[in-house]
Structures are given as structure tokens and as C-alpha cells.
Amino acid sequence: MTRLETLKTNLIGIFGEDAALTEALGELTLEVPAEQWLSVCNRLRDDAGLRFETCVDLCGVDYLTWGNGTRETPDARGSALHSSRFAVVIHLLSITHNWRLRVRTWAANEDFPVVPSLMDCWPAVGWFEREAFDLYGIVFEGHPDLRRILTDYGFIGHPFRKDFPLSGTVEMRYDPEQQRVIYQPVTIVPREVTPRVVREDSYGAGR
């Protein structure tokens, strides 16, 4: 039995045959309802058959245009009943067993996406959660210092959302009269960029 097969067997043995577990390209992904996010992650960390001591990465994902809005997400019983827009994905590493796992959960409310913070499980995710909050607007309930980390504190919107304008909404410049940095509406004129392809009639001739 390969290491991946052993991990899959252990996950099914712990979370049951109904666990939302998929395998693709030699990787396993476990989907977890938001209300079980923290409890499942604690078990992934503590169970002797799993021992995911390290959370390598956490990120937000906006599925606004993916699959034409037809995606479905698991509920607490593992049944796919409803669609959601925002997901949180973590990548875990077990140093003990030398295996990896992707885990994903979905925020139920698209207008105000909220998932529990994992800082009590892996304290190092604090900055990752702040990044997902800053760029996607996902709120991590229980985070002790949830504030922007990449954009300015006065920034409006979340720039990694699929519906955020490519040119942004405000621009910053130095005003010599006021002798300070000011914010103003974007002055870039929206335009559609069409790639120009140049072809020569004789290209490839005689080859």
C-alpha cells in the first residue's frame, strides 16, 4: 500500500465513508463544512494516524465565475446541497508520516463570508488569515487581530475578488500644494486591450 493509499484509508477510518474526500493528480482533498472547520482541523493535527503538525499555507478562493455558478458544497452530513462563492483552503504537512493533505471549507454567506479562525490549532496561520481577509473579505471568527496586511488600512474593497475592477476604485498621489499624499477617484480611462497578432504570409514557407 502506498503512502497516499494509507492516508486515504486513515482519513476514511476517522471521518467515515461519507467524508467528502477526492483524489486527483496524486493529491487528496478533504472538504469540511464551515461549522466543523475547527474541530476537524484539531483532529487532523492530533490524531495519531494523521498527525498534521504543520499548516503550510492558507488562502482564500473566489469561485464567482467557476463552473458557471453550478458548484455544490457539502453540508454537515457530507451531502452536496447548496452552492457557495468563497472558500478557504489549507495545505497540511505531517512531519511524522511525511504526507500532505489539502482541506477546503466554504463560507455560507456570500455577502458576509465568515469561517472560524484556525489560530488555536496552528498559530502560524494568523498572517495567512489576515491576507485572506484583506484580499477576499473573508472574516475569520476568533482571530485576535484581524486587519489588513497588504493594502492600506483605508483601502475600499477586496482586490482579489472576481468582481473587483482591474483598475481599482481609488488612486494615491502626492499633492505638492497640500504637501501630503491624497486619495482620489481613478483617472484611468477603462479600455479593452485586444492583442495584436502579426503574421507574415511567407512565414514557414519552404520549411
Side-chain angles (χ1 to χ4, degrees), residues 35-152:
E35 58 269 23
Q36 298 177 7
W37 184 232
L38 182 56
S39 61
V40 168
C41 287
N42 279 327
R43 194 162 186 186
L44 289 169
R45 180 196 62 188
D46 297 335
D47 194 283
L50 301 173
R51 293 296 294 152
F52 287 101
E53 308 99 331
T54 303
C55 181
V56 178
D57 182 34
L58 178 149
C59 66
V61 185
D62 183 357
Y63 285 90
L64 177 64
T65 57
W66 187 85
N68 297 321
T70 59
R71 65 211 168 275
E72 294 183 331
T73 62
D75 67 358
R77 296 162 297 178
S79 302
L81 296 178
H82 62 281
S83 64
S84 295
R85 173 179 174 181
F86 295 103
V88 174
V89 179
I90 58 175
H91 295 92
L92 304 180
L93 168 66
S94 171
I95 300 173
T96 300
H97 300 293
N98 190 24
W99 52 37
R100 297 172 183 265
L101 177 68
R102 179 185 299 109
V103 191
R104 176 168 52 199
T105 192
W106 301 81
N109 189 337
E110 295 186 7
D111 297 324
F112 188 64
V114 180
V115 300
S117 172
L118 294 180
M119 284 195 64
D120 287 342
C121 187
W122 297 288
V125 303
W127 283 20
F128 293 132
E129 291 182 344
R130 283 181 58 185
E131 182 181 56
F133 164 71
D134 190 359
L135 300 179
Y136 291 96
I138 300 172
V139 175
F140 293 88
E141 190 173 23
H143 192 293
D145 188 25
L146 193 63
R147 54 194 169 96
R148 293 188 183 272
I149 192 172
L150 294 176
T151 63
D152 186 77

